[in-house]
């Protein structure tokens, strides 16, 4: 969770912000009041841990967590598909939870622990989920795959943590790893090549290995 | 996305004051709806007030035997809370029927209540939309309106409230708690929280400028069988064409609210007296005065059948919410 005291807007932009705030305060508060939009992009510093490494960035406030990773940290494993939270290609694991990195501002993640596909495994040391995707052909073109794998890892953790889903028959009984559960929980990750069946097989294998 | 300034206030009242003094400011919590709309320049706040640092993320028992759900409780955590699963299963079920796992991990209780419509004409900035641009007209009226409202709409707007959670909150008689910039608190019954569009479709709720939701309170558990049944174009990750939240008691009485049919969760308390007679009798009362478009009359039939299926599910032996 961001620490309010840690917000560090840069000097130029603080002045822009202060001007905007003063202008807003002087205006009538009716709808349709003149714009108090900042004249220039406002930047702020943010620091978080990405794949175990502390990173500090000075970013335009509008930068999504996805763009911060891809454009500023050059971690291009996470993909931009729709950029609107509909496809799941940007899925990262932030503070232990999978999220759509395209629909959150980087600056909102001060102090966060972020894991991208690059942090799950490396080419010579694959994460078990990566290895299972290779073994079961859980992809074709590969574009959605980093998001699928990050989501898949988090889904198995969610089941293990007892978080129910839409297809869980009994909300108050222990969760099971079933094909129906995997398909429902993975519905936020779209694969236009249609590798879904193989993704289910890969996840089922990893879940079995863990059990 | 338009440029904006940004702050992280230390208290709810400070957050409310920050938005109250700037008509172009917005609160941001999960951000999953707001940032989507900002990218499309449907929302263009010039200042964002990030409330994520406020400690409004607890679920606590109330002295009345209910639950007080902090505004920042994430949808995943609310759906998974053991007390909610046991005593308010319709709420867990509604949450789990909505969005995707990634979005539920981010989306908050208050933000979910405040999400904007997914009417395609609201989203398409090349189209007229009174909700997006007051006075511009409504392209949906003569457009593709299959997913839009069948009741409670106006000649200015036929958008629906898109959420599932609020439908369950409505059937549970939740109360929305707020604070304003002066520190004054207010309790708004959920029935009075979402508006009908009338001639001000740009205003979704009865919140005042800068008023911040701090919690949603549930009264003591209603008992009975809890069912949330959602009908949509895909099996998962789609908005409701029609949904039904029902709490049904052993004697056949109960409560029912519908989603996907109106600008707010649709509950007609007088219609609930018909529950022992079955779905047809209830929907005849609940949807009296409905005015479907050329495209969405099917929703009236679907509402009756979905309620019928929900009542059947509620009477089936076994656990809560067992689906066929």
């Amino acid at each position: 969770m961001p620490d309010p005291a840690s917000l560090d807007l840069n000097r130029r932009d603080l002045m822009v912000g202060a001007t905007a705030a003063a202008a807003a305060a002087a205006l009538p508060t009716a709808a349709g009041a003149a714009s108090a939009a900042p004249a220039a992009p406002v930047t702020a510093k943010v620091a978080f841990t990405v794949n175990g490494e502390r990173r500090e960035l000075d970013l335009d406030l509008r930068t999504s967590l996805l763009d911060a990773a891809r454009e500023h940290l050059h971690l291009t494993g996470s993909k931009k598909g729709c950029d609107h939270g509909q496809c799941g290609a940007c899925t990262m694991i932030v503070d232990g939870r999978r999220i759509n990195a395209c629909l959150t501002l980087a600056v909102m993640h001060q102090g966060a622990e972020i894991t991208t596909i690059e942090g799950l495994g490396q080419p010579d040391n694959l994460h078990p989920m990566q290895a299972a995707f290779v073994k079961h052909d859980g992809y074709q073109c590969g574009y959605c795959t980093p998001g699928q794998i990050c989501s898949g890892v988090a889904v198995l953790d969610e089941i293990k943590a007892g978080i129910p889903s839409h297809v869980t028959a009994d909300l108050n009984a222990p969760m099971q790893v079933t094909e129906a559960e995997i398909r429902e929980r993975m519905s936020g990750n779209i694969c236009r090549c249609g590798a879904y069946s193989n993704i289910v097989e890969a996840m089922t294998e990893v879940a079995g290995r863990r059990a | 996305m338009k440029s904006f300034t940004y702050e992280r206030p230390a208290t709810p009242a400070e957050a409310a004051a920050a938005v109250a003094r700037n008509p172009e400011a917005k609160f941001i919590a999960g951000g999953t709806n707001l940032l989507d709309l900002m990218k499309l320049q449907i929302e263009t706040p010039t200042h964002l007030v990030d409330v994520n640092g406020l400690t409004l993320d607890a679920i606590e028992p109330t002295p009345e035997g209910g639950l007080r759900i902090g505004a920042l409780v994430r949808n995943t955590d609310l759906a998974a809370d053991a007390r909610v699963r046991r005593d308010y299963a319709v709420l867990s079920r509604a949450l789990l029927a909505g969005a995707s796992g990634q979005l539920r991990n981010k989306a908050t209780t208050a933000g979910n209540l405040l999400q904007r419509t997914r009417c395609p004409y609201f989203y398409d900035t090349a189209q007229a939309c009174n909700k997006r641009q007051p006075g511009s007209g409504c392209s949906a009226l003569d457009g593709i309106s299959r997913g839009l409202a069948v009741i409670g709409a106006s000649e200015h707007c036929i958008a629906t409230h898109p959420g599932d959670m609020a439908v369950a909150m409505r059937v549970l008689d939740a109360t929305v708690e707020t604070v304003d910039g002066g520190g004054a608190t207010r309790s708004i019954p959920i029935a009075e929280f979402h508006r009908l569009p009338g001639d001000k479709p740009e205003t979704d709720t009865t919140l005042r400028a800068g008023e911040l939701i701090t919690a949603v309170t549930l009264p003591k558990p209603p008992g009975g069988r809890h069912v949330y049944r959602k009908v949509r174009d895909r099996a998962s990750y789609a908005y409701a064409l029609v949904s039904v939240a029902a709490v049904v008691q052993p004697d056949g009485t109960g409560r029912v609210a519908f989603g996907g049919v109106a600008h707010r969760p649709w509950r007609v308390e007088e219609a609930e007296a018909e529950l022992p007679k079955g779905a047809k009798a209830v929907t005849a009362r609940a949807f009296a005065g409905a005015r479907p478009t050329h495209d969405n009359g099917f929703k009236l039939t679907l509402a009756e059948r979905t309620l019928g299926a929900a009542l059947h599910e509620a009477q089936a032996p076994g656990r809560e919410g067992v689906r066929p």
Side-chain angles (χ1 to χ4, degrees), chain B residues 147-150 160-161 163 167 240-243 258-262 299:
Chain B
L148 301 178
V150 292
T160 54
H161 172 79
V167 185
L241 291 167
V242 167
S243 69
F258 297 86
V261 294
K299 284 194 176 187

Side-chain angles (χ1 to χ4, degrees), chain A residues 96-136:
Chain A
R97 293 277 178 95
R98 59 182 169 140
I99 64 168
N100 298 115
C102 73
L103 279 190
T104 192
L105 299 172
V107 73
M108 292 164 70
H109 294 281
Q110 176 67 31
E113 297 273 346
I114 298 159
T115 303
T116 68
I117 188 71
E118 291 93 341
L120 279 182
Q122 292 74 44
D124 55 351
N125 180 29
L126 295 180
H127 184 280
M129 190 66 78
Q130 291 173 309
F133 267 61
V134 172
K135 178 179 167 188
H136 291 277

Side-chain angles (χ1 to χ4, degrees), chain A residues 1-4 6-7 9 13 16-17 20 24-25 28-31 33-38 40-42 60-62 64 83-88 91 97-100 102-105 107-110 147 151 158 162-173 175 184-185 187-190, chain B residues 1-10 20-24 28-33 35-37 39-40 46-48 50 52-55 57 72 74 76-77 79-80 82 84-86 89-90 92-93 96-97 99-106 228 230 232 234-237 319-323:
Chain A
M1 193 160 289
D3 168 9
S6 67
L7 182 59
L9 295 173
D13 299 322
V16 172
T29 51
S35 170
V42 186
D60 185 322
L61 285 172
R62 293 171 291 183
S64 68
D83 209 25
H84 286 278
Q86 297 170 6
C87 76
T91 303
R97 293 277 178 95
R98 59 182 169 140
I99 64 168
N100 298 115
C102 73
L103 279 190
T104 192
L105 299 172
V107 73
M108 292 164 70
H109 294 281
Q110 176 67 31
S151 203
E158 286 166 16
I163 293 170
S165 86
H166 175 61
V167 299
T168 305
D170 183 348
L171 288 177
N172 299 303
M175 304 294 131
E184 162 60 26
R185 291 169 191 266
S187 70
N189 290 85
I190 310 298
Chain B
M1 193 185 294
K2 299 280 192 189
S3 197
F4 52 82
T5 51
Y6 173 86
E7 72 178 291
R8 294 186 198 125
R21 66 174 165 257
N22 180 352
E24 296 189 350
I28 186 164
T32 53
N33 187 216
L35 290 168
D36 181 27
L37 294 169
K39 289 181 184 197
L40 297 165
T46 59
H47 186 63
L48 286 184
D50 182 348
N52 285 291
L54 307 178
T55 49
D57 53 1
L72 291 169
R74 309 287 153 171
T76 296
D77 296 314
V84 175
R85 287 198 241 182
R86 187 188 64 220
V90 67
S92 279
R93 288 292 182 196
L96 296 171
S100 67
Q102 289 96 317
L103 291 167
R104 290 192 298 270
N105 280 341
K106 260 284 167 204
Y228 190 78
K230 180 176 180 179
R232 42 188 160 170
R234 293 188 301 235
S236 182
Y237 200 18
R319 306 173 293 255
E320 59 71 36
V322 178
R323 60 202 67 246

